[in-house]
Amino acid sequence: MRTDIPTRHRDMAHSLESEGIVQLIEIRIPGTPEVYIRINNKRQITWQSKTWEQWAFSLTDIGIISDGEMKRPKFTVANPDGLFSSYIGRGMMDAATITLYEVLTRDITTNTNSFIKYVWRVGRVVNLNKVTATFELRSALDGHNFTLPARKYIPPEYPHVSFS
């Protein structure tokens, strides 16, 4: 066994809490008033003047398929006292947005505004029971009857284009 490894490094290797990235989830449920639920898997965190409560969740299938298509992540969250059941029953989750902030632990500690941000909207409810609620998330550009605005390639922005 090596003896030249600093004690701090050995302690970090055996720590149950990672030093890397913390996932912070913000759920925005539109209504009067709008509801913001801020959660994370670790502990209660205050970052950028907002408090993120400890709450069990799982976020899977984040990424892009090789042909450029965005995957549709699955978001499973604890459903204490039927909180999400009531929102689903009233149709409020249909327009909800889920925002994932990936923040380094040191940026949370120093309250630095540095993060990677992903934003989805709730596409559909996959599963709902007394314990959990599972949602399929979609990109804001992924939906029925959605078209991008046309772009005009005309002079003077494009001088090489002519109408003949």
Side-chain angles (χ1 to χ4, degrees), residues 32 37 58 131 137:
T32 308
I37 300 172
S58 170
V131 180
L137 307 180

Side-chain angles (χ1 to χ4, degrees), residues 26-91:
E26 181 177 74
I27 304 168
R28 186 184 66 81
I29 303 170
T32 308
E34 283 192 328
V35 177
Y36 286 90
I37 300 172
R38 293 183 180 96
I39 60 175
N40 73 79
N41 276 335
K42 304 283 186 191
R43 63 192 181 287
Q44 182 175 335
I45 294 174
T46 301
W47 178 68
Q48 298 297 304
S49 303
K50 297 175 184 167
T51 302
W52 310 82
E53 300 295 331
Q54 181 180 6
W55 201 325
F57 72 87
S58 170
L59 189 59
T60 58
D61 295 335
I62 300 172
I64 299 174
I65 300 172
S66 62
D67 65 359
E69 182 181 341
M70 296 289 290
K71 288 186 176 181
R72 291 183 177 167
K74 301 288 186 292
F75 177 60
T76 303
V77 63
N79 189 18
D81 300 324
L83 174 69
F84 288 102
S85 302
S86 66
Y87 290 139
I88 291 167
R90 291 183 277 167

Side-chain angles (χ1 to χ4, degrees), residues 13 23 27 31 51 62-63 65 69 90 116 127 129 138 143 155 158 160:
Q23 290 185 329
I27 304 168
T51 302
I62 300 172
I65 300 172
E69 182 181 341
R90 291 183 277 167
I116 297 173
N127 186 25
N129 57 46
R138 296 181 179 196
Y158 297 93
H160 60 280

